[in-house]
Amino acid sequence: MLFLHGFPENWYSWRYQLCEFSEQYHTVALDLRGCGDSDAPSQLNDYTLEKLLYDIRDTIDELGHTSCVLVGHDWGGMLAWHFALERPDMVQRLIIMNAPHPAAWLDAVLRRPSQLLRSGHACFFQLPLLPEIALSLEDFKLLRNLLCGARLGIRNRDRRLTEAQLEGYLYRLSQPGGLTPPLNYYRAFLSDHLYKHEDAGVTTMLIWGEEDSILVEGTSGGIRPYIRGPVVVHTIPKCSHWVQEDQPETVNKLIWDFLQDKDASSPILPQQGGESVGLVKVTNGGPAINFITQ
């Protein structure tokens, strides 16, 4: 199982899933290029969709597998959609959390212009330097509110980030030039081949936190026209955008049910003696694997 995080997260956002599935599956969390401890090239063209998808492919290869259960949230979910479109042979099953199919997102924006306002941050991030300055003001107040604020942050009181956990997310971003690589995802994607209208042919599950105040409305259940294979959609009430951290028990149960569901297709059988890889970093020479035992 390969987990892809979003912004401003890193691999640590999958801690509950790594612990849950590591006993029976080979579980891997990837620090995406430019995030966490992975290399952070400075050029915008280092964050093209093609290169980001190569990182995923190379990670699967380096780990000694030919395919995986691919799980993505936010930007990681968007990359997972694209990887499933480009390399369906390398995706056994696709699990997406709070990330719309690219074509569904575009359709929602075009049909209801009001939705464009809710995606205004993506347009703002196209500007040079100004987004980095804005996000770093008042000790990264905007990012703190994004993860922990009353409107945007984790809703589950029992799962809200501690100050130490929040600082863990902000540490790399607060280093000189640390915000530019993650923001380059927005800058490169909107000028790249983002809006693919191909139908995904892999067995897919979409999990959506109902109280997501970040992504556009109407995209959580609008993926069926873009899926050729079996698909199931689950919405989790009273759950924020940060679904895998907000409601980990519910998310983990949905994943178990999805992996073992014989009605959809053949179940993905557990690997006996599974191994948890807490972090995989992307380096210039390809994925660098750091094993962390649970």
Side-chain angles (χ1 to χ4, degrees), residues 19-74:
C19 292
E20 174 71 18
F21 295 97
S22 62
E23 291 187 3
Q24 297 192 53
Y25 289 89
H26 189 181
T27 54
V28 176
L30 176 65
D31 255 352
L32 296 176
R33 175 185 297 237
C35 302
D37 288 328
S38 286
D39 282 357
S42 59
Q43 299 300 312
L44 182 61
N45 62 11
D46 287 315
Y47 297 88
T48 63
L49 179 61
E50 180 182 20
K51 291 182 178 180
L52 298 174
L53 297 185
Y54 276 152
D55 288 342
I56 300 172
R57 184 205 64 185
D58 290 347
T59 297
I60 297 171
D61 288 341
E62 289 291 330
L63 290 167
H65 298 286
T66 58
S67 63
C68 70
V69 175
L70 188 59
V71 187
H73 170 252
D74 188 77

Side-chain angles (χ1 to χ4, degrees), residues 15 35 43 71 95 118 158 192-193 250 257 264 287 293:
R15 59 196 179 278
C35 302
Q43 299 300 312
V71 187
I95 302 173
R118 296 192 65 189
D158 295 331
D192 207 338
H193 307 292
T250 300
D257 291 345
T293 57

Side-chain angles (χ1 to χ4, degrees), residues 56-277:
I56 300 172
R57 184 205 64 185
D58 290 347
T59 297
I60 297 171
D61 288 341
E62 289 291 330
L63 290 167
H65 298 286
T66 58
S67 63
C68 70
V69 175
L70 188 59
V71 187
H73 170 252
D74 188 77
W75 268 119
M78 191 68 78
L79 290 177
W81 277 121
H82 280 278
F83 191 78
L85 293 171
E86 297 285 347
R87 294 300 306 267
D89 58 306
M90 298 187 74
V91 181
Q92 299 173 25
R93 291 200 179 184
L94 180 65
I95 302 173
I96 304 291
M97 302 183 195
N98 283 70
H101 186 288
W105 181 87
L106 179 62
D107 289 346
V109 170
L110 292 178
R111 292 176 183 176
R112 288 180 292 173
S114 62
Q115 299 301 337
L116 184 61
L117 297 177
R118 296 192 65 189
S119 302
H121 64 285
C123 299
F124 174 64
F125 290 161
Q126 302 304 304
L127 300 175
L129 297 179
L130 185 58
E132 283 89 336
I133 295 173
L135 291 176
S136 63
L137 290 175
E138 298 185 62
D139 193 22
F140 298 86
K141 181 178 180 180
L142 289 177
L143 292 182
R144 291 176 182 275
N145 286 337
L146 190 65
L147 293 165
C148 299
R151 188 175 70 87
L152 300 175
I154 294 172
R155 298 296 179 91
N156 186 346
R157 292 179 178 273
D158 295 331
R159 298 299 184 183
R160 288 177 180 169
L161 298 178
T162 66
E163 186 62 27
Q165 290 172 327
L166 178 59
E167 291 300 324
Y169 281 135
L170 296 179
Y171 174 74
R172 291 294 180 189
L173 298 174
S174 66
Q175 302 306 300
L179 278 168
T180 298
L183 292 179
N184 279 342
Y185 278 68
Y186 294 87
R187 292 160 178 160
F189 258 59
L190 290 187
S191 61
D192 207 338
H193 307 292
L194 175 59
Y195 306 117
K196 291 185 175 293
H197 285 265
E198 295 95 333
D199 296 339
V202 300
T203 302
T204 301
M205 176 171 66
L206 178 66
I207 300 175
W208 200 273
E210 259 188 355
E211 297 188 23
D212 188 333
S213 299
I214 297 172
L215 290 178
V216 296
E217 297 175 356
T219 54
S220 58
I223 67 167
R224 286 184 174 85
Y226 308 100
I227 304 292
R228 291 197 311 273
V231 58
V232 59
V233 178
H234 294 284
T235 57
I236 302 178
K238 299 181 180 180
C239 183
S240 69
H241 175 76
W242 318 103
V243 58
Q244 75 270 31
E245 297 185 83
D246 198 320
Q247 297 288 340
E249 294 84 2
T250 300
V251 166
N252 291 348
K253 183 180 185 305
L254 292 174
I255 293 176
W256 277 122
D257 291 345
F258 180 63
L259 295 179
Q260 298 170 351
D261 185 5
K262 298 181 180 180
D263 293 332
S265 61
S266 298
I268 305 300
L269 298 176
Q271 299 174 354
Q272 296 301 320
E275 181 177 28
S276 176
V277 180

